[in-house]
């Protein structure tokens, strides 16, 4: 096992121990056992990928990422459960426990797949996985009700079928760990949407939450539908393009919008118009965001104009980080002035990004070829598959803390101590930390971390920049009250910055999750 993977695993183990130092319950032993067996399975799967023995084609030039991926959802469920327990919200405490058990079950399933296709069968790793699996199953039997166990199995079933579809249709787009996080999260969202749809007549939930669930599932259904359809017909003709636009409108207006209307018990467009017109600040924010969108489009066109002058021109790391700064400039005012609007706007933006990626991937006329031409300039080694996902991961990474922020388990939607920075986890980890590390590391860094292209100077400036960002947030956001918890905040930022330096996974996706987990403690 390379030094890169060993240090990455050490950082993840440190985060796991930090979480269980604060939170210790019945599932803690299971979590530690799961981390140990994931470490062993990652070693086996890395060897399997290097030998070319994988069943699916995963993203090259990266390790399997099993350990950081396996621990993300269980740790997330544990910290949410602790917050809900402290606030006395029994319903969401049980829901968080289901999240933890689901994360452990999906991780165990992925580990069993890895062991099943490894030849010769690794006996010691199988024994460790068996012990961890037995601990998880026994503990889940003790703490979960029958209906909750069924819910966990439902998510597992969706995960199995969705993994087969996604990994077959999209080779080289994911590592095994990234597939676990992405497909596992989507499976959980699909299960929650089905569950809420079946109970729609009994209760009326938060329209903003339902909007997120329907938009994500609806966008993915559109993609899967056309991916399967275009396996049997050419997608680049005008007839196919016209059919694409018509069917997208039919699916949106005939299925997705009625589905949302069923859940919120109101016409979605009327709700959205009233939501936007709720205050003048929302109109100002939307105007400001529109200006930033035009600015980002201008950077894309300007870089492509340079490529017209020099065929070898490729966007540099610094240029790609311009988009990180633009997204930070988008999210920070929204987090300070109107988090609900930011929540809805980020969901709409995600749906638009996915639709444009479908148009680019299938070469749908009239924009498909143009988008393919414009975005090729910004590709790096992480976009080795048929889809370009880094910009989508960037949006998801910054929006995840906003979507996950557990309002029902907080008093007036706020936390004291490090929890006050929870909604800013994506901004700090990706928008500030990753950007500064890349820019300063590539331009000024000289001392490289062992086994990586990342530099010590880049990591140090990343930590320093995030601390400055926290100080600025204390000035501009009056809802944040850190209560002298500065040492924990600095330690959390440092751990996540070290993870950024040593992980080969998509940092836009994994860093916000781990900083979110640490700040929730």
């Amino acid at each position: 096992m390379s030094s890169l993977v060993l240090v990455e695993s050490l950082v993840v183990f440190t985060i796991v121990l930090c979480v269980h130092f604060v939170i210790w319950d019945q599932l803690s032993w299971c979590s530690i056992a799961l981390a140990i067996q994931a470490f062993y399975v990652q070693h086996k799967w890395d060897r399997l990928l290097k030998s070319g023995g994988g069943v699916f084609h995963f993203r090259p030039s990266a390790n399997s990422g099993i350990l950081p991926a396996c621990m993300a959802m269980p740790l997330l469920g544990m910290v949410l459960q602790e917050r809900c327990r402290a606030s006395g919200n029994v319903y969401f405490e049980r829901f968080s426990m289901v999240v933890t058990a689901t994360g452990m079950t999906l991780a165990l399933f992925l580990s069993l797949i890895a062991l099943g296709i490894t030849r010769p069968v690794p006996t010691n790793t199988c024994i460790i996985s068996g012990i961890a699996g037995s601990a998880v199953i026994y503990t889940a039997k003790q703490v979960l009700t029958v209906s909750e166990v069924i819910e966990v199995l439902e998510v597992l079933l969706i995960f199995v079928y969705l993994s087969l579809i996604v990994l077959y249709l999209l080779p080289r787009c994911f590592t095994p760990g990234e597939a676990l996080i992405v497909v596992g999260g989507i499976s959980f969202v699909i299960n929650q949407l089905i569950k809420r749809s079946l109970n729609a007549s009994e209760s009326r939930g938060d329209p903003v939450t339902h909007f997120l669930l329907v938009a994500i599932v609806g966008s993915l259904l559109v993609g899967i539908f056309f991916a399967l359809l275009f396996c049997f017909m050419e997608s680049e003709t005008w007839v196919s393009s016209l059919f694409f636009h018509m069917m997208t409108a039919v699916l949106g207006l005939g299925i997705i919008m009625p589905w949302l209307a069923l859940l919120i018990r109101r016409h979605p467009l009327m709700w959205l118009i009233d939501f936007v017109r709720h205050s003048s600040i929302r109109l100002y924010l939307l105007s400001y965001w529109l200006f930033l969108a035009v600015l980002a489009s201008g950077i894309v066109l300007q870089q492509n104009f340079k490529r017209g002058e020099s065929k070898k021109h490729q966007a540099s790391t610094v240029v790609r980080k311009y988009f990180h700064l633009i997204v930070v400039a988008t999210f920070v005012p929204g987090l300070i002035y109107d988090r609900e609007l930011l929540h809805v706007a980020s969901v709409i933006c995600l749906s638009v990004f996915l639709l444009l990626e479908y148009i680019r991937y299938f070469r749908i006329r009239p924009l498909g070829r143009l988008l393919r031409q414009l975005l090729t300039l910004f590709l790096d080694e992480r976009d080795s598959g048929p889809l370009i996902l880094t910009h989508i991961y960037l949006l998801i990474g910054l929006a995840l803390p906003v979507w996950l922020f557990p309002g029902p388990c907080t008093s007036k939607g706020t936390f004291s101590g490090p929890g006050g920075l929870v909604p800013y986890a994506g901004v700090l980890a990706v928008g500030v930390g990753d950007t500064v590390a890349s820019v300063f590391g590539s331009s000024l860094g000289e001392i490289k971390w062992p086994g990586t292209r990342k530099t010590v100077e880049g990591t140090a400036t990343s930590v320093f920049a995030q601390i400055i960002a926290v100080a600025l947030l204390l000035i501009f956001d009056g809802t944040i009250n850190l209560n002298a918890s500065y040492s924990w905040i600095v330690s959390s930022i440092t751990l996540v910055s070290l993870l950024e330096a040593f992980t080969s996974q998509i940092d836009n996706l994994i860093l916000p999750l781990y900083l979110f987990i640490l700040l929730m403690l």
Side-chain angles (χ1 to χ4, degrees):
M1 187 175 287
S2 67
S3 59
L4 173 67
V5 178
L6 285 173
V7 178
E8 178 195 48
S9 301
L10 179 62
V11 174
V12 174
F13 272 115
T14 303
I15 294 174
V16 171
L17 294 176
C18 285
V19 171
H20 294 301
F21 179 77
V22 179
I23 303 171
W24 189 267
D25 58 17
Q26 291 172 292
L27 291 168
S28 295
W29 282 114
C30 298
S31 176
I32 294 174
L34 185 69
I36 295 172
Q37 74 91 33
F39 174 76
Y40 278 89
V41 170
Q42 175 169 287
H43 173 58
K44 298 299 179 183
W45 205 324
D46 285 345
R47 290 175 58 188
L48 187 70
L49 294 178
K50 286 180 180 178
S51 66
V55 177
F56 296 104
H57 295 288
F58 292 103
R59 183 164 65 85
S61 69
N63 62 52
S64 60
I66 296 294
L67 176 59
C70 282
M71 299 315 300
M73 190 180 291
L75 294 180
L76 177 64
M78 287 181 178
V79 295
L80 291 176
Q81 180 186 344
E82 182 64 21
R83 286 290 182 177
C84 293
R85 182 187 295 126
S87 66
N89 192 322
V90 178
Y91 174 80
F92 279 94
E93 181 185 346
R94 301 298 305 180
F95 173 79
S96 301
M97 193 177 294
V98 172
V99 173
T100 303
T102 301
M104 291 181 176
T105 305
L106 297 183
L108 283 172
F109 175 78
L110 194 69
S111 300
L112 291 175
I113 292 296
L115 297 176
I117 61 177
T118 302
R119 294 292 182 271
V121 177
T123 307
N124 294 336
T125 310
C126 286
I127 293 172
I128 294 172
S129 295
I131 294 172
S134 301
V136 171
I137 293 171
Y138 176 78
T139 307
K141 176 179 176 294
Q142 299 297 316
V143 301
L144 298 181
T145 64
V146 174
S147 62
E148 289 168 344
V149 171
I150 293 173
E151 187 172 353
V152 172
L153 295 177
E154 289 169 350
V155 177
L156 178 60
L157 185 63
I158 296 171
F159 176 80
V160 172
Y161 284 105
L162 201 59
S163 296
L164 295 176
I165 294 173
V166 170
L167 295 177
Y168 174 75
L169 294 176
L170 303 174
R172 302 182 308 282
C173 282
F174 309 96
T175 65
E178 291 162 4
L180 173 61
I181 293 177
V182 173
V183 181
I186 293 171
S187 303
F188 198 86
V189 167
I190 292 173
N191 184 67
Q192 284 300 304
L193 182 58
I194 294 173
K195 181 180 175 183
R196 296 186 186 203
S197 300
L198 294 175
N199 298 326
S201 58
E202 299 177 8
S203 60
R204 180 181 177 182
D206 180 16
V208 174
T209 304
H210 286 145
F211 185 73
L212 170 66
L213 297 176
V214 174
I216 291 177
V217 175
S219 300
L220 292 170
L221 286 177
V222 170
I224 292 174
F225 173 78
F226 285 111
L228 296 175
L229 178 68
F230 288 137
C231 286
F232 305 100
M233 61 184 290
E234 183 62 45
S235 63
E236 297 183 53
T237 64
W238 274 109
V239 173
S240 297
S241 299
L242 181 61
F243 181 73
F244 174 90
H245 296 302
M246 290 179 59
M247 284 304 300
T248 300
V250 168
L251 292 170
L253 298 175
I255 296 179
I256 297 173
M257 286 187 63
W259 199 349
L260 182 57
L262 172 69
L263 292 169
I264 68 176
R265 299 182 186 178
R266 197 178 169 197
H267 194 285
L269 287 180
M270 295 298 103
W271 169 78
L272 188 59
I273 292 171
D274 290 342
F275 179 81
V276 170
R277 295 171 56 191
H278 182 265
S279 67
S280 58
I281 290 180
R282 291 186 172 177
L283 298 176
Y284 294 143
L285 280 172
L286 288 173
S287 302
Y288 169 66
W289 291 339
L290 180 61
F291 165 75
L292 291 178
V294 172
L295 179 61
S297 302
I299 293 174
V300 173
L301 295 175
Q302 184 257 349
Q303 289 295 312
N304 276 271
F305 178 75
K306 282 188 176 181
R307 183 173 63 174
E309 298 175 344
S310 172
K311 296 298 182 182
K312 295 182 179 180
H313 177 70
Q314 192 73 16
S316 65
T317 300
V318 175
V319 171
R320 285 198 294 268
K321 296 308 175 183
Y322 286 164
F323 296 101
H324 285 231
L325 296 177
I326 290 174
V327 176
V328 170
T330 302
F331 270 76
V332 171
L335 286 166
I336 293 174
Y337 294 109
D338 198 324
R339 292 176 185 175
E340 268 199 334
L341 177 65
L342 180 63
H343 188 295
V344 172
S346 59
V347 172
I348 294 174
C349 190
L350 175 62
S351 300
V352 172
F353 276 11
L354 289 173
L355 182 61
L356 290 176
E357 182 56 24
Y358 298 152
I359 292 173
R360 187 206 64 84
Y361 174 64
F362 294 122
R363 296 184 175 90
I364 301 298
R365 300 191 180 199
L367 296 176
R369 287 184 178 274
L370 177 62
L371 287 172
R372 187 173 285 256
Q373 224 172 14
L374 292 175
L375 296 179
T376 303
L377 183 66
F378 298 92
L379 298 182
D380 60 15
E381 69 277 0
R382 295 176 298 180
D383 292 308
S384 54
L387 291 186
I388 300 177
L389 295 173
T390 46
H391 63 296
I392 297 175
Y393 284 143
L394 175 61
L395 174 62
I396 293 175
L398 271 78
L400 265 177
V402 181
W403 298 343
L404 294 173
F405 189 64
C409 296
T410 64
S411 56
K412 299 181 181 179
T414 60
F415 286 148
S416 60
L421 294 171
V422 163
Y424 294 94
V427 172
L428 292 172
V430 176
V432 177
D434 182 41
T435 302
V436 171
S438 297
V439 173
F440 280 84
S442 60
S443 59
L444 301 175
E446 295 183 1
I447 306 172
K448 294 187 181 295
W449 290 109
T452 77
R453 292 182 299 174
K454 308 288 180 68
T455 63
V456 175
E457 293 90 342
T459 303
T461 51
S462 169
V463 174
F464 185 62
Q466 289 178 76
I467 293 171
I468 293 176
V470 170
L472 292 174
L473 290 174
L474 285 172
I475 296 172
F476 292 103
D477 191 344
T479 63
I480 300 176
N481 179 17
L482 298 184
N483 290 340
S485 53
Y486 303 106
S487 58
W488 182 262
I489 293 170
V490 173
S491 300
S492 301
I493 288 173
T494 303
L495 279 173
V496 173
S497 297
L498 287 172
L499 184 60
E500 186 275 335
F502 287 97
T503 188
S504 61
Q505 307 303 296
I506 297 292
D507 45 18
N508 291 349
L509 187 64
I510 200 167
L511 300 184
L513 273 173
Y514 275 100
L515 188 56
F516 180 94
I517 290 166
L518 289 170
L519 293 178
M520 284 282 287
L521 294 173

